[in-house]
Every structure is written in C-alpha cells, then in structure tokens.
Amino acid sequence: MEIWSKEQMASIHTMLNPRSFAIVGATPRQQYGGRMLAAALRMQDRVKVFAVNPKYDEVMGVKSYKSITELPQTPDVVAVVVPYNHVLSTLKEAHAKGTRAAIVISAGFAERGLDDRAGLQEEVAAFARESGLRISGPNCLGLANIRDNIWLTSSSRQMTGVNGKVGLVCQSGATLFGPFLARAADSGMGLSYVVSTGNEADLEFADFARYLLDDEGTTVIAGFVEGFKNATKFIEVARLAAERGKPIVLIKIGRSDLGKRAASSHTAALTGSDALYDTICRQYGVIRVPSYDDLLEVAQLMAQSHKPKQPGVAVVSHSGGICSLTADMCGQAGLDLPVLSDKARGVIDGILKGFGWAANPADVTGKANSDFFPAIMDAMINEPGVGTLAIASAGREQQSDQVIALRERTDKNVAFMWTGTRDTSPSLSKLKAAGVPLFYTPDSLARGLRHLIDYHAWHEKRMANGFARAPAITATQSQTLTKLRALKRKTLSESESKQLINAWGVATSMEVCTQDADAAVKAADKLGYPVVLKADSADIPHKTEADVVRLNLHDADEVRAAYAAIISNAKSHAPQARLNGVVVQEMVSGGVEVIVGVSYDPQLGPTLLFGTGGIMVEVYKDVAMRHCPITLAEAHEMISEVKGAKLLQGFRGKPACDLDALAGVLVNVSHLAVHLNGQLAELDINPLLVLPKGQGVKAVDALVLFKDS
C-alpha cells in the first residue's frame, strides 16, 4: 500500500512551487517575519506576496492585512511567524481560507522539553492530519526552490547562480541555511531544492524525499537528520530511491551518547539505535557520511558521475608528495589503483623525459600545466582496469579546460582534488561551473570514490535480487500463534518457543516433555541415547544458571539421577516457578553452534541478528544484523560477514556445514519477525546447530518473549 497520498505530494509541490504566498507575522524589523518578507519580495515577479499583521497598514512597501480572512485571494502557502500559542488558531484560519500548505517558522514547541508544549505540537499535528493542511515545521527556517530562485525562508542567507541535481532536506534550519548553503556556494555545488523540516509535527524528511524522487531534475537526495519520527517511511523511501537509481546521502545524528542527547533536546526526536541505523543504511543503499563537507562532496560526486565501468582508480598530480598521500588514503579506503600497462607508461615516460614517474599514481611534475597533459590523462583513463581518473592539482585555466574537455569526451568518471587556494582562482571557478566533482583533501577524495564504487556495485546486485517481502502468514502459523498467545504469558518455555519457530520452518530437536522419572526413561529409550534433560518452565528462562540442564546422558540410571537433580534445583532456584515438566531431548552432535535472534527497536521495527556461538558473540560481538524481512541473498551475506563463519565452511579438516539450510532459517525467522511485529518483544535461538552439508540445521534451545498484553 502506498504510504504517501497524491494530496500530500501535491501540497509539497505547492510549497516548493507557489504562485502566491502570505506571511502571517510580517514585520518591518529584521526579525524572522521581516527577513521572510524581504526574501519573498525579491520574487514578486513570479510569486504574489501578501503581508499579514494587524499592527501595520503597510510593511516594506506592501499592504498589510489584518488577518488571513481579509486576503483578496487564497494564498497557495501560508508562513506562520507568530508566538507559539497563536500558531494553531492561525493554521485553522488558513485552512478556512482554503490554503493547503503552511510553513511554521514559530518555535517554542516540543523542542523545549515541556509537556504542555509537546502537547500543543501534537494538537498541531492532529489538525494537519484531520484537515489536510500540510505543514513544514514548526521550529524551521523555511525552504527554497533554487532552480526557480524562489525562497520561502526567514533566513538572510540565500544562494544564487548554481542550479543542480541535489535536493537537500535538513531538520535543522540553522544548519541548512548556515554551513550547508555556505559550503555549497563555496564549492559551486548545484542544488535543486533545500528544505528545513524543524520539529516535523506533520511533514518529515521522508515525505520531502519521496517528493524529490518524482522530480526529474533531482537525481540525488542529501539529508541531515537528527531522528526519524517514522522510520518505516525512511526505509520505504530508501527502497524506492534504490529502485529509481537515486542515491540518498545522509548525515544521521546519534553515533555517540552526547549526539543522542543533543538531538533529543533540539528537536524532541528519538534517535534509535545507531548500530541499527548503520545496518539499515547499508541494507537499503543509503550512503551515511560523518560531516558537512562529506555530505556535499559525495552528493555532488554521485550527481555528476555514473556507474564506474571498472572499480580501478587512476591518480595523476603535479606533486610526488600529493601522489603518495593520495595513494595512501586510497589504500586505506580499500580502493584499487591498477598498475599501468607498458603502453601507458611508455606514453607518459615519453612526455616526462626522465622527470617524475610514470606510475599509478603518476607524478607528472610541470607537465600537469602543459599542452601534454591531455595525452597523459588519456593514457591513464583509457587503461582497461580504470573506471575513474582523479586529478590532484591546482593548475592554470588551461588545465581546467583540459580536464573539462576530457570529461566531455570520455565515458569514464573524472574527479578533481583541488590543492590550492579556494578564494578567487579562475581555474577553480571553471571546474565549479562545469560541474566537475570537487574534493579538497586526499582522504575525502578516497572516501567519496569508495562510496561511488560501492553504491553502484550494491545497486546492481540489489536490483538483480530485489527487496524482500514477507509472504502472508499461513493458517498453521496463525493457529500456533493464537494457541501460544492464549497462555497469556510474556515468556514462553523452551518447548513452547520451539513450537512457535517450528511453525515458521525452523527444524527443532526431537523431544518429549515428561512428568516423572519413569516417563523420562521411556522417552530416552525411544529417542535413543545419549539424551539431554532440561527443566521446561517459562519462569526459568536461563536454565544453565539455574543448573537445570544435563547433557550427554547414556543410560536409564543417569536419566533418573538427572531428573531428580533437575527437579530439586528448579525448586531451589525458583520456588514459585510453574514447571511444565522435564524435557527429554535428543543429543544433537556434529554441528557448529550459531545464534539467531530477533529484536525490536521502537523506531526501526524488527531486526534479525546472526552470529557464531561461544565467545565470538559474547566477547567480540561478532554478529551481523539486517532489518526484516530479508532475501536469501541477504541471508548468505549475513553469514559471510561474521568472522566466525570460517567454522561453517569447513575448518581444519572438519566438514563444511549446510549453509543453504542456515540461510533458509534466517529468511524464515525474518518472516516470523514481520508477522509478529507488535506482539513479539524478543526471540533467541541459541544454539542453532548447523549440521554438515545436506543434513540441515536444528534448534536445540529457544526463548520467546512477547510484549506485554
């Protein structure tokens, strides 16, 4: 089902492409309302502007109306710049006038951390949902259509002259209209739209990103997000972006505890688990970056480049030192700098005549500023293993013209690392105007090229395999779940937990629940020795700690003794525990222990965890995670990511394990996680024994915790 309605997208379109605009709270003073009116008046040739403020008859040379109701026409967009306690009434008046889009600049809502302000923000949100008047904000600085030079913003900073393919959506208005626009203007970066979303009482990052996916002139979406109000929307927009081949480049706050606290106090947004956000970004192709400059440089690179024909990178510079440092950074980023062929070295050596070195990277000394430079660049970029040429220099205008000409005639990617002053260089200005992707340090260049290569490799693989969709829950699964939920317990016993996972296709060990020692012996005789005995109780989830597990029992006497000890220890450990009985279980051997689990994040929903057993999980946190559901290809990726997976592939003479069966279990458990979303709190299958190839897997222990009813 489509998350976004046509009406919602139409309202965003109106915000970004208005024909008329009213500012409630317009003022002649250089405050928010005054700056917004001043910005709006500069676009009067394209947009009809109305000032609304009962205190004035005229503001900045235009008539000031007493209220929205008195306006001679219905404005496409209303900007609200009034005290927080008058915002809701202003929005109601705008809605009554027929307006469908509003920008709330006013602050003093949930970001203050006060219960009554949060409640008022929820009232604003509820009104937006009920009325259909869509709202950006509150506590934002507005937005701009840079392509058409339309600025609905209370910021004094504007950016002109550089239109481009990157749409920038930022929760923080001061960050957007401060460092982002300043750096974008300084680097010559082309933007299509910029949007500050503020507290996101109604419209949020994912809503504007969804609109930009439909905009033909926007090919990359860049974002600065402190917390997602609705992570499901974020995941869905990331999936759609991948399907349309539009990369999302993102700064997501919350990598540290300090960052999380700052985010919460600023926008009252929950930041979620950072490790899960990293997982989801990788899974859905979102390029997560750490800084302003990385965001803009990588977004520009993605917008001005295409899929590399080869992963190899060639680097050329006028400086040996720059070559060495750049090569070092590329190596740390895992990039491949292919060795040049004899043909390419011959061409370059013939030009250098004993100076510099003909290699990759190539130090071409002063020839970087000569008529010979195009021949050097051609020799390097035409190497069969090279998909991208990076020039690291700061030459004269001739050099920039040569680089721009190369970019126009080659079907490979070209990037430039500028090594000189950024102030008033005509050469740099030419590169900016031509849209050549620019970097300013070797490490940022290496990171950017790594993202470019990785994204397109991921995208090709993802489009081949598709995204996972959980199938409909079956009748058997539904009946099993209903039966277990009827127990009205938060925690299931091991045997009950195994009933649940077995319904979702996870093979479990053979076992019998017994009520006395004689029955236990009969069960053991039937299963075949050796056997395992365990207490089965939802009130004793950690059986090893309670000493209610006995392994490798070989005869009836051992079974009787184990039964008595388990009953005694269970009563001693948890006198009030409800004991279903003692389970007699087959002793499964010959496999490798792994753990499979499901957890739920309040924002991000179900997450699948996989790791090898023992200390690799407990000490080294050797795990892989994915958002649920997953595909079979993703399951195999998870297995390969875990360092301990070498044990599964056959280690030191032991047979290789059944990786296909394990991957199938991971897929099935991911479907279980989706089907039980909202009911399941946690699932642990630990251990799951992966048997030799062709013999499958068996869950020998499991624990299910439901959410409170």
Side-chain angles (χ1 to χ4, degrees):
M1 186 179 75
E2 177 67 34
I3 295 175
W4 295 274
S5 66
K6 292 181 179 179
E7 292 76 14
Q8 187 180 36
M9 292 297 102
S11 292
I12 293 175
H13 180 79
T14 298
M15 280 187 194
L16 294 168
N17 301 273
R19 292 167 299 176
S20 57
F21 179 48
I23 303 164
V24 182
T27 173
R29 293 175 290 176
Q30 281 302 302
Q31 297 174 332
Y32 290 110
R35 292 196 298 267
M36 193 162 216
L37 179 59
L41 291 176
R42 288 194 284 270
M43 59 185 187
Q44 283 190 99
D45 59 327
R46 287 152 288 140
V47 180
K48 179 68 174 176
V49 179
F50 299 102
V52 178
N53 193 327
K55 295 181 180 179
Y56 305 100
D57 294 326
E58 181 182 286
V59 182
M60 296 185 187
V62 299
K63 179 179 179 180
S64 178
Y65 293 87
K66 303 300 180 183
S67 67
I68 299 174
T69 304
E70 293 184 8
L71 293 176
Q73 69 182 71
T74 298
D76 286 340
V77 182
V78 168
V80 181
V81 197
V82 300
Y84 75 92
N85 53 335
H86 294 287
V87 167
L88 186 56
S89 60
T90 303
L91 292 172
K92 289 180 178 179
E93 186 181 0
H95 176 252
K97 187 71 174 177
T99 298
R100 305 291 293 175
I103 302 168
V104 180
I105 306 297
S106 308
F109 288 84
E111 79 278 1
R112 292 291 303 276
L114 303 174
D115 291 342
D116 61 327
R117 302 292 180 89
L120 180 58
Q121 181 169 307
E122 178 49 40
E123 288 185 49
V124 170
F127 177 72
R129 291 192 298 268
E130 294 163 5
S131 67
L133 172 65
R134 308 321 299 246
I135 298 167
S136 181
N139 187 32
C140 73
L141 288 183
L143 44 80
N145 175 341
I146 295 180
R147 184 184 301 151
D148 298 322
N149 199 25
I150 296 174
W151 293 78
L152 309 187
T153 172
S154 58
S155 170
S156 58
R157 184 184 294 278
Q158 297 186 24
M159 176 182 174
T160 58
V162 183
N163 301 327
K165 303 175 182 179
V166 179
L168 177 57
V169 183
C170 185
Q171 284 183 346
S172 169
T175 302
L176 172 60
F177 290 97
F180 276 135
L181 284 192
R183 281 168 164 78
D186 182 55
S187 65
M189 178 179 177
L191 298 168
S192 56
Y193 299 98
V194 296
V195 179
S196 70
T197 60
N199 289 8
E200 299 186 342
D202 178 34
L203 297 174
E204 56 188 292
F205 168 85
D207 299 322
F208 287 101
R210 176 64 185 86
Y211 173 83
L212 294 174
L213 290 181
D214 288 338
D215 181 64
E216 292 183 1
T218 301
T219 59
V220 175
I221 298 166
F224 178 90
V225 176
E226 299 178 25
F228 291 102
K229 186 177 69 174
N230 185 336
T232 300
K233 278 187 177 182
F234 165 61
I235 293 168
E236 181 63 12
V237 85
R239 185 185 67 80
L240 291 171
E243 291 178 350
R244 308 218 182 159
K246 292 191 176 186
I248 296 176
V249 186
L250 185 73
I251 293 176
K252 166 65 179 69
I253 301 300
R255 287 194 181 277
S256 70
D257 290 339
L258 288 176
K260 293 175 186 176
R261 288 203 298 271
S264 180
S265 64
H266 183 49
T267 63
L270 297 174
T271 57
S273 167
D274 192 67
L276 295 185
Y277 276 113
D278 265 348
T279 293
I280 286 175
C281 286
R282 288 194 302 270
Q283 189 173 352
Y284 291 90
V286 175
I287 302 169
R288 191 174 180 187
V289 295
S291 70
Y292 302 148
D293 291 330
D294 279 276
L295 183 81
L296 298 175
E297 289 173 353
V298 172
Q300 181 78 330
L301 177 67
M302 301 302 295
Q304 298 293 348
S305 304
H306 46 74
K307 178 185 174 183
K309 291 186 171 297
Q310 295 292 335
V313 175
V315 178
V316 59
S317 178
H318 66 282
S319 162
I322 292 173
C323 279
S324 297
L325 182 56
T326 303
D328 196 22
M329 294 297 102
C330 289
Q332 289 186 39
L335 296 173
D336 177 31
L337 271 61
V339 175
L340 296 184
S341 65
D342 291 342
K343 178 182 177 182
R345 285 199 306 273
V347 170
I348 299 171
D349 274 331
I351 295 171
L352 296 181
K353 299 187 183 303
F355 293 93
W357 69 76
N360 185 17
D363 171 16
V364 299
T365 64
K367 301 301 182 183
N369 281 293
S370 74
D371 293 337
F372 297 103
F373 194 48
I376 293 172
M377 291 191 295
D378 283 342
M380 299 188 74
I381 202 170
N382 290 330
E383 287 287 86
V386 171
T388 304
L389 175 67
I391 300 98
S393 190
R396 296 187 291 270
E397 288 184 71
Q398 177 192 27
Q399 185 188 68
S400 293
D401 291 337
Q402 292 166 343
V403 171
I404 293 167
L406 169 67
R407 190 163 175 262
E408 291 174 351
R409 69 174 181 268
T410 185
D411 59 356
K412 295 185 178 181
N413 291 317
V414 176
F416 202 105
M417 188 185 82
W418 183 257
T419 61
T421 178
R422 304 191 202 183
D423 294 339
T424 56
S425 167
S427 182
L428 179 59
S429 296
K430 280 193 170 185
L431 293 171
K432 291 178 182 179
V436 175
L438 286 166
F439 296 86
Y440 297 95
T441 61
D443 57 329
S444 64
L445 170 69
R447 288 195 300 271
L449 296 180
R450 179 77 270 169
H451 286 307
L452 176 69
I453 293 165
D454 286 351
Y455 174 81
H456 285 287
W458 171 88
H459 187 260
E460 181 178 31
K461 188 174 182 180
R462 172 58 80 181
M463 290 302 98
N465 294 323
F467 286 95
R469 296 287 190 186
I473 190 169
T474 68
T476 298
Q477 291 166 347
S478 182
Q479 291 166 7
T480 301
L481 179 60
T482 299
K483 181 183 74 171
L484 294 172
R485 292 295 278 159
L487 298 173
K488 298 189 180 300
R489 281 193 272 107
K490 181 177 180 179
T491 305
L492 297 183
S493 71
E494 178 184 331
S495 63
E496 293 160 351
S497 298
K498 286 178 176 176
Q499 291 177 43
L500 183 72
I501 64 174
N502 192 253
W504 268 265
V506 181
T508 58
S509 53
M510 294 185 294
E511 58 189 43
V512 179
C513 188
T514 63
Q515 304 302 317
D516 57 55
D518 288 340
V521 170
K522 289 181 181 178
D525 289 341
K526 184 175 180 180
L527 291 173
Y529 292 98
V531 295
V532 176
L533 263 62
K534 301 177 182 177
D536 189 54
S537 173
D539 300 320
I540 309 177
H542 304 293
K543 294 183 287 294
T544 302
E545 294 177 9
D547 195 20
V548 291
V549 178
R550 293 294 183 271
L551 305 175
N552 211 27
L553 305 175
H554 290 86
D555 55 39
D557 290 340
E558 289 185 0
V559 169
R560 293 182 186 279
Y563 191 99
I566 287 172
I567 293 294
S568 175
N569 291 345
K571 291 180 178 179
S572 174
H573 178 79
Q576 305 303 317
R578 294 161 293 184
L579 194 62
N580 297 332
V582 174
V583 168
V584 181
Q585 187 180 103
E586 65 171 321
M587 183 79 185
V588 184
S589 59
V592 174
E593 291 186 5
V594 300
I595 179 173
V596 176
V598 172
S599 63
Y600 288 85
D601 181 86
Q603 287 189 339
L604 301 175
T607 300
L608 179 70
L609 177 144
F610 166 74
T612 49
I615 63 170
M616 297 295 283
V617 168
E618 297 295 331
V619 177
Y620 299 110
K621 310 298 182 186
D622 183 32
V623 298
M625 295 187 294
R626 290 293 187 280
H627 185 264
C628 298
I630 65 169
T631 64
L632 196 61
E634 287 176 298
H636 281 288
E637 287 175 1
M638 290 182 73
I639 296 169
S640 65
E641 286 174 15
V642 173
K643 296 180 180 66
K646 291 181 180 178
L647 299 173
L648 298 167
Q649 297 162 0
F651 188 70
R652 292 190 175 179
K654 292 187 177 181
C657 293
D658 200 332
L659 297 182
D660 290 338
L662 173 57
V665 164
L666 293 174
V667 171
N668 291 343
V669 173
S670 81
H671 294 165
L672 181 155
V674 172
H675 293 153
L676 271 64
N677 193 7
Q679 299 185 66
L680 187 65
E682 190 176 330
L683 165 65
D684 280 321
I685 305 174
N686 185 22
L688 176 75
L689 281 177
V690 189
L691 302 173
K693 190 172 182 179
Q695 298 181 33
V697 300
K698 281 195 177 180
V700 297
D701 202 349
L703 175 64
V704 169
L705 277 71
F706 288 118
K707 292 184 177 180
D708 292 325
S709 300

